[in-house]
Amino acid sequence: MLIEYGSGAIMSVPAHDQRDFEFARKYDIPVMQVICHEDEVRDVTCNETDNEAMDTAYTGDGVMVNSGPFNGLHNRKEGIARVIDHLKKNGIGEGTVNYRLRDWGISRQRYWGAPIPVVFCDKCGPVRVPDDQLPVILPTDIKFAESGKSPIATMDSFINTSCPKCGGDAKRETDTMDTFMCSSWYFNRYTSPRCETALADKQDVDYWAPVDQYVGGIEHAVLHLLYARFFTKFLKDIGAVSVAEPFSRLLTQGMVVKDGAKMSKSKGNVVPLDKMCEKYGADATRLFILFAAPPERDLEWDDSGIEGASRFLNRLHRFVTGSLALIKKGDTENIAPLDGLPKELASIRRATHKTIVRVNNDFNRFQFNTVIAAIMELLNGVTALKFDDSVNSASVLREAVETMLKVLQPISPHVTGELWEMTGHATDLLDEPWPREDETCLVEDEALIVVQVNGKLRGKITVPVDASKDFVQNAALDDLKVKKFIEGKEIRKVIVVPGKLVNIVV
Ligand SMILES: [Zn+2]
């Protein structure tokens, strides 16, 4: 009897493995069923088996039969633990975990790849290239033949070398390593590219690692993540890095879908972006792609979306260039607090700082589409207002415009950089610090109150946040929609929950 956990079957005997079953039938080996489908159990202690009745192996889970003390147990739920117990008690075995690790053939018959540092000597056999002769460098004077073979496989100047052990003639290995051999750890190298003595300077790699954000398509993620984790654990064991995991966060981006199929060169349904850039510019193209969908979702390509992206940037450009004189008059350093501004200007300031909070939050979550939506809303708010030529007006407008340019910069860098320059800045927008929200500008001055009549929603009113209970109650009773439900009735009670709701009982 073979007990096996890794592949799922607790016992692999002829009754429970199709190949063993066929083998047993051919050579008249008795087939004893030890796991039975729950619905087919007749007598768990019966030693007779359905030898003749079985025509295929039973590979599912079920109830243990013909199994002595284990009869009647579910093979998985209790069986495994009980069998291990039994083996332990009798000193004939113990439980273990089998990892299904497989050997990994890392050699590839191609030029691009890290050379395998081994030479072959007739006398010594395969000999490793000693550390002081590493790295083995690929030749660059290669010729790509049409044979499909790696060009170094026929390159005598690379192949012929001497044996590091006996000094005699030897030949270099011409296979190179699988690209995963490099891609599984290269990110550590970025932390100290000039380090000559190790794969990365320990201090540097400890400072930067692990990688904060991994972005990849799911088709690459599985294998690369597995190999990179494996390498990282090995590098930790040898003390080259201190982290046990290579990546902190994973984003698997969606695919671009066109006409119901994944956009790919092989399918021939690729939209040439350079044509789009030529017609609408790189800024509009980038904005369009980021606005179309959250990055983890598939993006259904729709050419008409680029028009909308282009219109938005044009609207921003027109508005800013049309308001330059006023914007330049603004002073964002000495801008008035909310309570020192007329209502409309205060609401623009509030919207500006709310936008900063929103885009920071959305950038951090990689939700670029809602970042763009927030900027669009702010532009709508700004363009809807008629600014006069007061300093307050100019400053609020300047703050809103500069905020829009700064937070849109990562998405549409060219147009924002140009507008930044036009608004009178000598510095590059790229060098500007990221905008910070002013907490005092986030305070709401109005609250939305739900009005109920006998517990049912009948209206909504907007009141100043510091309104008294009486003020809120009167506003609720005066609301036209609410009036319809209370007219001609005796008001028995009014409950006011400040900032939230009014319930009128009639
Ligand atoms: Zn040798």
Side-chain angles (χ1 to χ4, degrees):
M1 179 165 75
L2 175 74
I3 301 181
E4 186 186 304
Y5 300 109
S7 62
I10 182 164
M11 288 156 196
S12 177
V13 292
H16 305 288
D17 179 287
Q18 189 57 29
R19 290 158 304 179
D20 290 352
F21 180 84
E22 285 166 19
F23 184 86
R25 278 281 184 263
K26 183 165 182 181
Y27 295 101
D28 271 337
I29 298 167
V31 174
M32 181 184 280
Q33 193 169 10
V34 292
I35 297 171
C36 191
H37 191 281
E38 284 165 47
D39 299 338
E40 289 168 8
V41 183
R42 283 187 295 277
D43 182 357
V44 294
T45 59
C46 181
N47 281 329
E48 289 172 29
T49 68
D50 285 341
N51 228 349
E52 297 304 317
M54 283 185 95
D55 50 10
T56 52
Y58 178 67
T59 55
D61 289 323
V63 175
M64 295 173 75
V65 295
N66 289 324
S67 301
F70 312 112
N71 280 338
L73 298 176
H74 187 275
N75 70 310
R76 195 168 289 276
K77 283 179 201 148
E78 309 105 5
I80 292 174
R82 289 278 296 276
V83 169
I84 291 173
D85 261 5
H86 177 81
L87 294 174
K88 261 182 163 170
K89 264 187 206 140
N90 291 281
I92 50 174
E94 58 184 44
T96 182
V97 178
N98 284 331
Y99 294 99
R100 274 193 275 171
L101 287 177
R102 282 176 293 177
D103 287 341
W104 174 21
I106 60 156
S107 60
R108 298 289 180 269
Q109 293 73 52
R110 61 183 171 213
Y111 171 70
W112 295 109
I116 296 172
V118 168
V119 302
F120 298 95
C121 169
D122 280 343
K123 258 195 262 166
C124 315
V127 179
R128 277 183 304 190
V129 177
D131 286 2
D132 61 8
Q133 290 172 33
L134 292 178
V136 175
I137 305 226
L138 282 175
T140 50
D141 55 337
I142 41 137
K143 286 192 184 70
F144 287 97
E146 284 170 13
S147 68
K149 276 188 195 159
S150 163
I152 47 174
T154 52
M155 193 172 187
D156 289 341
S157 59
F158 177 74
I159 295 171
N160 293 326
T161 185
S162 55
C163 171
K165 239 186 200 168
C166 70
D169 287 347
K171 291 192 186 307
R172 280 193 194 282
E173 171 64 62
T174 58
D175 279 3
T176 56
M177 291 190 228
D178 184 355
T179 49
F180 279 124
M181 289 297 292
C182 301
S183 65
S184 298
W185 63 271
Y186 72 94
F187 36 87
N188 295 301
R189 183 68 189 169
Y190 284 157
T191 66
S192 51
R194 276 169 284 278
C195 175
E196 295 287 339
T197 52
L199 107 161
D201 182 89
K202 188 73 194 320
Q203 243 181 322
D204 290 337
V205 76
D206 280 354
Y207 175 80
W208 289 103
V211 172
D212 296 287
Q213 181 68 51
Y214 180 114
V215 181
I218 193 67
E219 73 272 32
H220 298 298
V222 179
L223 279 184
H224 183 241
L225 285 177
L226 183 73
Y227 290 131
R229 292 189 68 210
F230 181 83
F231 269 63
T232 300
K233 285 172 195 307
F234 166 73
L235 292 175
K236 181 171 192 280
D237 284 350
I238 64 167
V241 302
S242 299
V243 293
E245 292 289 344
F247 314 116
S248 299
R249 286 206 304 191
L250 169 69
L251 171 76
T252 48
Q253 86 264 19
M255 289 181 306
V256 181
V257 177
K258 185 158 187 282
D259 309 325
K262 174 186 172 182
M263 198 184 275
S264 71
K265 278 183 208 152
S266 58
K267 291 208 172 66
N269 61 350
V270 174
V271 174
L273 285 184
D274 45 354
K275 290 243 167 64
M276 207 169 251
C277 285
E278 247 169 60
K279 189 167 174 199
Y280 298 98
D283 280 350
T285 304
R286 291 166 60 131
L287 186 101
F288 159 55
I289 292 168
L290 292 174
F291 189 51
E296 73 278 9
R297 287 238 306 273
D298 286 352
L299 187 163
E300 178 69 45
W301 192 264
D302 175 8
D303 287 335
S304 63
I306 183 76
E307 297 277 353
S310 174
R311 267 200 306 274
F312 165 66
L313 291 181
N314 278 323
R315 209 153 68 84
L316 176 70
H317 193 270
R318 262 199 318 276
F319 176 75
V320 175
T321 51
S323 319
L324 281 179
L326 190 60
I327 292 171
K328 284 184 184 170
K329 219 171 113 180
D331 177 5
T332 52
E333 299 291 315
N334 300 299
I335 193 164
L338 290 193
D339 55 9
L341 289 170
K343 204 174 163 204
E344 304 75 42
L345 291 180
S347 88
I348 294 290
R349 270 211 89 185
R350 192 177 289 112
T352 298
H353 289 269
K354 273 184 168 176
T355 302
I356 296 173
V357 175
R358 265 181 77 184
V359 302
N360 280 344
N361 186 29
D362 292 346
F363 266 127
N364 281 330
R365 295 186 303 130
F366 286 72
Q367 300 297 302
F368 308 118
N369 56 325
T370 52
V371 167
I372 296 165
I375 302 168
M376 287 174 168
E377 277 174 39
L378 182 57
L379 181 65
N380 285 343
V382 171
T383 51
L385 190 68
K386 190 105 185 70
F387 289 91
D388 60 30
D389 59 357
S390 67
V391 175
N392 273 344
S393 248
S395 301
V396 169
L397 174 63
R398 184 179 185 116
E399 184 181 53
V401 166
E402 290 190 346
T403 300
M404 279 191 275
L405 297 182
K406 283 177 182 175
V407 297
L408 187 60
Q409 193 274 340
I411 293 167
S412 297
H414 307 97
V415 65
T416 49
E418 192 177 306
L419 290 173
W420 180 257
E421 206 182 294
M422 290 167 93
T423 49
H425 292 280
T427 54
D428 199 311
L429 178 56
L430 255 183
D431 297 328
E432 281 300 303
W434 193 252
R436 273 169 183 275
E437 72 272 17
D438 178 343
E439 293 286 339
T440 66
C441 292
L442 296 172
V443 179
E444 290 290 347
D445 63 342
E446 287 181 328
L448 186 71
I449 306 281
V450 169
V451 184
Q452 299 175 334
V453 177
N454 289 345
K456 282 200 178 118
L457 174 67
R458 296 304 188 193
K460 286 174 183 170
I461 52 170
T462 307
V463 298
V465 281
D466 53 359
S468 68
K469 270 195 174 185
D470 282 349
F471 182 96
V472 176
Q473 177 170 331
N474 289 334
L477 293 170
D478 278 348
D479 186 75
L480 286 178
K481 277 187 188 155
V482 175
K483 265 187 173 169
K484 276 196 289 185
F485 295 95
I486 56 175
E487 234 159 19
K489 291 174 185 162
E490 190 199 340
I491 292 167
R492 301 196 346 241
K493 203 171 163 191
V494 179
I495 303 152
V496 178
V497 182
K500 287 215 172 76
L501 74 86
V502 176
N503 188 17
I504 303 163
V505 184
V506 293

